[in-house]
Amino acid sequence: MKISHIEHLGIAVQSIEESLPFFEEVLGLKCYAVEEVADQKVKTAFLKCGEVKLELLEPTSPESTIQKWLDKGNKGVHHVAFCIEDGVSEALAECEGKGIRLIDKVPRKGAENLNIAFLHPKTTCGVLTELCEH
């Protein structure tokens, strides 16, 4: 698997509207896109910090995995996403061959029309890991 860069850091928030002032007014970053990913039950807002994007994730349903994560008392960085140059499908097969537990067996569409798949944190040093390709 060839990783070119960190694609984004996913940050779980209860409300994008309430969270954006910190990122924009305090840190000086600018939100450049807001999008709902209906099948994942989240609304996303993207900000850029240098070459790395921050993805704010707001749950749109009590059944959202983000809402369930927040309900457990978690907050802040939810996942790290890596951009894969040689394809997410190939990377999933490689990871599975090395004993990594897959959340997604096949890539699916995510925000910004990326192909995405997640690796389970129980086998990735406790870090929910997203693999992405443009």
Side-chain angles (χ1 to χ4, degrees):
M1 158 177 22
K2 186 171 182 187
I3 295 174
S4 62
H5 62 280
I6 292 175
E7 213 290 324
H8 66 268
L9 298 175
I11 301 171
V13 299
Q14 197 63 61
S15 166
I16 287 172
E17 183 179 338
E18 292 175 13
S19 302
L20 271 179
F22 168 71
F23 292 95
E24 292 187 319
E25 296 168 18
V26 177
L27 298 180
L29 305 175
K30 295 294 173 217
C31 177
Y32 68 85
V34 175
E35 153 184 10
E36 185 168 336
V37 185
D39 66 321
Q40 294 179 35
K41 300 176 179 72
V42 295
K43 183 168 120 180
T44 64
F46 285 94
L47 305 102
K48 199 132 187 195
C49 181
E51 294 301 312
V52 176
K53 294 185 283 188
L54 301 180
E55 177 189 36
L56 303 184
L57 299 152
E58 174 186 313
T60 58
S61 163
E63 292 81 39
S64 165
T65 57
I66 297 298
Q67 185 61 60
K68 291 175 184 175
W69 193 76
L70 290 168
D71 287 345
K72 291 179 183 174
N74 299 308
K75 57 185 174 181
V77 176
H78 177 262
H79 67 271
V80 177
F82 295 97
C83 188
I84 307 300
E85 288 188 358
D86 45 355
V88 172
S89 293
E90 293 80 0
L92 287 172
E94 182 179 333
C95 288
E96 189 170 40
K98 293 180 178 178
I100 301 299
R101 186 170 156 196
L102 308 180
I103 292 175
D104 298 299
K105 300 258 184 216
V106 295
R108 55 189 162 112
K109 283 294 178 194
E112 296 193 309
N113 205 34
L114 294 174
N115 289 324
I116 66 165
F118 284 90
L119 307 178
H120 201 286
K122 286 189 178 176
T123 57
T124 58
C125 302
V127 177
L128 180 59
T129 302
E130 181 179 4
L131 306 178
C132 305
E133 70 179 324
H134 293 269

